[in-house]
Amino acid sequence: MRTNELRKSIPEITERMLLRHLRDMTGAGILERHQEQGLPLRVRYSLTPYGRTLVPVLDVLCLWGREHLKRDPST
């Protein structure tokens, strides 16, 4: 995804925090950063093979979150 697409898909995040997390995940080998030639500068991110190993874990976490979204915190 391009940086702008990521920013739009997570409206609650600031640009600074998004870029910090993208940089951290790139450094950890989870994402690859692809810079396209030309102006304006375009940057795109994709999962590395290592990053794709997280997909099953994230799927389970998302499922858990959806199932417990309406849970009464007092119970």
Side-chain angles (χ1 to χ4, degrees):
M1 292 182 89
R2 291 186 45 208
T3 309
N4 215 17
E5 294 171 310
L6 288 167
R7 194 174 304 127
K8 288 178 184 176
S9 70
I10 314 169
E12 302 83 17
I13 196 168
T14 65
E15 183 172 350
R16 179 179 178 199
M17 288 306 297
L18 174 62
L19 293 175
R20 178 182 288 174
H21 287 299
L22 290 171
R23 196 169 29 251
D24 289 347
M25 288 187 285
T26 301
I30 296 168
L31 295 178
E32 288 179 321
R33 183 180 189 272
H34 308 274
Q35 186 170 322
E36 299 174 8
Q37 297 297 321
L39 292 174
L41 176 67
R42 293 182 180 178
V43 176
R44 176 174 64 80
Y45 291 90
S46 62
L47 286 172
T48 63
Y50 176 62
R52 282 192 285 281
T53 65
L54 288 169
V55 171
V57 176
L58 295 174
D59 285 344
V60 170
L61 282 173
C62 287
L63 178 61
W64 182 89
R66 284 188 201 103
E67 289 176 359
H68 294 90
L69 186 62
K70 296 179 182 174
R71 179 180 171 264
D72 182 358
S74 65
T75 59

